[in-house]
Amino acid sequence: MHHPFYFPNRGYLLPLPYPYHPNFQSVQYRHLPPVYAGKTFRYDYEDGNVFIIQFFDATHRHDVGIAGPHKGFNGYYTFDYVEIAPRVYFMYWLEEVYTVSQVADFNRMRVYTHYTYDAGDVRKSLFHSGTITELGSFPA
C-alpha cells in the first residue's frame, strides 16, 4: 500500500513506501504547530501530583509542581516530540534526575508519563497517568 505525497516543486504525486504517516518526526515541522504550543495546562495525576505546564512553543516548556510529592518542583525544559495521531503527542526530555517519556492526548485530555532514574546501582522507573485541563493561552 502506498500513500501519495504531493511535491509542489515537482508538480506531481510521489508514492511513498508503506508504512508512512505524515506526522512522524521526519516531516513533523512541515505541519501546523502542535495544539499545546503557547498554552498553559494543569496536569492532575492519579498519584496526587499536580503540575502547571506552560508550553512556550512546540519544544520548550516550564513545569511547576503545585501538589503531591513533587510540590515545589520547578523546571524549564527543551523537549522533542512526535505527533503519533491527530492531537496526540509523544514527548521526551531529560531532567536533572529523570529521563521522561510522555504521551499527551489532547482529544481525550489525558496524560501518560513514564520516568526512569538511578537509585544507587539500580535503574528504577515509575509510571503515572492523569487528566489535562487547559488553563489558557499566552498573550500575543
Side-chain angles (χ1 to χ4, degrees):
M1 178 177 180
H2 289 83
H3 298 278
F5 194 84
Y6 183 70
F7 287 91
N9 59 334
R10 294 187 183 139
Y12 62 92
L13 293 174
L14 178 67
L16 295 175
Y18 182 81
Y20 172 77
H21 189 280
N23 292 327
F24 281 137
Q25 195 168 11
S26 62
V27 292
Q28 72 179 342
Y29 297 108
R30 296 180 192 171
H31 297 281
L32 296 174
V35 297
Y36 58 79
K39 296 181 181 176
T40 301
F41 297 90
R42 177 182 168 126
Y43 288 9
D44 287 274
Y45 286 101
E46 294 164 359
D47 64 2
N49 280 303
V50 179
F51 291 91
I52 301 298
I53 313 293
Q54 293 178 299
F55 290 101
F56 301 113
D57 57 28
T59 60
H60 296 90
R61 64 189 279 161
H62 177 215
D63 300 5
V64 177
I66 62 169
H70 286 99
K71 183 177 180 177
F73 177 84
N74 187 357
Y76 290 85
Y77 300 103
T78 299
F79 64 96
D80 291 304
Y81 76 96
V82 177
E83 187 175 16
I84 58 176
R87 298 175 48 91
V88 180
Y89 302 92
F90 174 71
M91 304 173 194
Y92 51 99
W93 67 95
L94 298 175
E95 296 182 357
E96 294 82 11
V97 175
Y98 300 108
T99 301
V100 184
S101 302
Q102 183 176 86
V103 173
D105 182 340
F106 292 97
N107 296 309
R108 294 186 178 97
M109 298 305 278
R110 298 282 302 167
V111 61
Y112 308 91
T113 306
H114 180 253
Y115 295 91
T116 63
Y117 60 97
D118 291 321
D121 293 336
V122 178
R123 190 80 176 156
K124 300 264 187 170
S125 70
L126 58 98
F127 173 84
H128 57 205
S129 62
T131 60
I132 299 172
T133 304
E134 185 173 343
L135 300 179
S137 298
F138 295 159

